[in-house]
Amino acid sequence: MEKTLHAAGVILPGGEPRELWITGGRISFEPVEDAESLGRDVFLVPGLVDAHCHPGIGVGGPVSLEEAADQAITDRNAGTLLIRDCGLPIDVRPLQRRADLPAIIRAGRHLALTKRYLPGLGIELDDPAQLPEAVAEQARAGDGWVKLVGDWIDRGVGDLAPLWPDDVLAEAVKVAHDLGARVTAHVFGEAALPGLIAAGIDCLEHGTGLSADQLAELARHDVALVPTLINIENFPGIADKAGKYPAYAAHMRALHAGVGEMVASAIEAGVRVFAGSDAGGMVEHGRLVDEIEALHRAGMTREQALASASWGARDWLGHPGLDDGAPADLLVYPSDPREDLGVLRHPSHIVLGGVVYA
């Protein structure tokens, strides 16, 4: 039987002292008798959101459903209570039915061309012309998002190169929009960006090659950016292993060197920037706070960085925060994380669906 819970403190983002109760797994601002206290004079934050996460991918590629659940638990125990999966090679719908795991917004499988992405992760198409049909299939199967691979190393060129012709991209994005889905794309370099932006893309992952003019265009059209800064830290290591492709290696080092300035420019331009760890593969799960801190170092205020991984991201993804009647997915902190983001590493309580996990 679920407990009735109570907390009194500062509720973010509003910042006003208030009391809330949790009953039946939902938030209420009407008093409920015999409630167990989660604390007084605390700070209450909507559950963190990892906007680019892969519960289902490990160092060697796809993992079992059991391993994916363990990854999601690691994220939950670090405060992440909502995940946008951003492309998975396995079907995690059984995990969505588990009340003890973060909510997962599925983006289906990565869509790429043959030998133009990490093996085993995406659907590899033989012909770019197949993209619109594949997008339609993923849009119908997912939770409102489709993930494209916008660029990857072309070994014939020896550097990053786009995967899709501009006209195919435009048709594919229109197909997704007509089916009520948004489209995001993995993109590291510069060459793929004009086609993706012109096609009406809704979000860019990484975006390390974005120019000032392109950032202004993203802001005008409300195209979101998830820069995954803690994953970009792997670029020099990737370059070190790419000795056969010196142009690619130099390009990756240059993109790494410029990413801080790019994100700072995005923030200044008014682009909506969200926190995503890119956990799975080269980044361990449970590291979202590292990404929040990296966004702060790149130019966000502490409150902006927190919003990018909490109430701001929830609004973008269509999930409520600490609203009356909303699911009780929240974090309780003894002090104000807007003053010290390190506080996010030590919640007093993690509450998911009204159940206390820490």
Side-chain angles (χ1 to χ4, degrees):
M1 182 176 178
E2 289 183 358
K3 298 177 181 177
T4 299
L5 304 170
H6 168 263
V10 174
I11 295 179
L12 298 183
E16 295 297 323
R18 198 170 182 186
E19 294 183 77
L20 67 73
W21 287 261
I22 298 171
T23 181
R26 295 191 172 269
I27 292 168
S28 172
F29 292 106
E30 295 296 326
V32 180
E33 294 183 357
D34 301 322
E36 179 178 314
S37 177
L38 293 173
R40 290 187 172 275
D41 299 321
V42 294
F43 289 80
L44 304 170
V45 178
L48 298 183
V49 180
D50 193 333
H52 187 133
C53 188
H54 303 284
I57 297 176
V59 174
V63 301
S64 69
L65 197 61
E66 183 179 358
E67 290 173 291
D70 289 341
Q71 291 172 336
I73 287 171
T74 297
D75 290 319
R76 181 202 71 196
N77 291 346
T80 294
L81 303 184
L82 176 61
I83 288 169
R84 184 180 65 138
D85 78 37
C86 230
L88 286 177
I90 65 172
D91 184 353
V92 295
R93 279 176 289 188
L95 303 188
Q96 292 179 305
R97 296 191 284 269
R98 285 185 49 171
D100 63 325
L101 299 181
I104 299 173
I105 300 170
R106 295 178 302 111
R109 297 191 66 182
H110 303 75
L111 294 176
L113 289 172
T114 302
K115 296 183 179 179
R116 291 296 305 280
Y117 193 54
L118 295 166
L121 296 189
I123 295 173
E124 297 187 357
L125 307 178
D126 296 324
D127 186 330
Q130 297 172 324
L131 183 64
E133 183 180 350
V135 163
E137 182 179 353
Q138 293 305 304
R140 293 187 185 103
D143 296 330
W145 282 94
V146 176
K147 171 73 176 292
L148 309 182
V149 177
D151 71 359
W152 197 252
I153 186 171
D154 183 330
R155 288 166 176 80
V157 175
D159 199 357
L160 294 167
L163 274 72
W164 317 104
D166 290 355
D167 59 336
V168 171
L169 274 176
E171 182 183 354
V173 172
K174 182 180 185 304
V175 165
H177 289 171
D178 288 348
L179 291 169
R182 291 185 276 184
V183 183
T184 193
H186 160 107
V187 58
F188 284 159
E190 299 85 356
L193 286 165
L196 291 167
I197 295 169
I201 200 84
D202 299 285
C203 181
L204 294 172
E205 312 298 320
H206 320 299
T208 39
L210 282 160
S211 68
D213 288 345
Q214 288 168 336
L215 290 168
E217 192 168 356
L218 262 59
R220 281 196 300 272
H221 296 285
D222 197 23
V223 180
L225 173 64
V226 184
T228 67
L229 288 170
I230 61 173
N231 190 30
I232 305 308
E233 288 303 312
N234 290 306
F235 277 19
I238 294 170
D240 290 345
K241 296 176 182 178
K244 289 174 61 178
Y245 305 102
Y248 169 71
H251 198 176
M252 294 295 278
R253 290 190 180 99
L255 291 170
H256 173 263
V259 69
E261 182 179 351
M262 184 278 291
V263 174
S265 297
I267 296 163
E268 185 176 353
V271 177
R272 289 212 285 178
V273 178
F274 297 104
S277 69
D278 206 355
M282 299 186 78
V283 177
E284 294 180 353
H285 285 263
R287 291 192 57 197
L288 183 60
V289 177
D290 290 340
E291 183 69 16
I292 296 169
E293 292 179 334
L295 289 171
H296 172 54
R297 290 193 297 271
M300 282 187 170
T301 67
R302 291 181 182 87
E303 185 161 357
Q304 286 174 332
L306 177 54
S308 79
S310 181
W311 57 86
R314 285 179 170 273
D315 180 68
W316 175 56
L317 294 170
H319 282 245
L322 302 186
D323 304 320
D324 191 36
D329 299 340
L330 59 98
L331 306 167
V332 182
Y333 295 101
S335 56
D336 192 345
R338 297 172 299 177
E339 300 296 326
D340 177 7
L341 292 172
V343 169
L344 295 172
R345 300 184 187 279
H346 305 289
S348 302
H349 299 288
I350 297 171
V351 183
L352 176 62
V355 177
V356 179
Y357 288 93

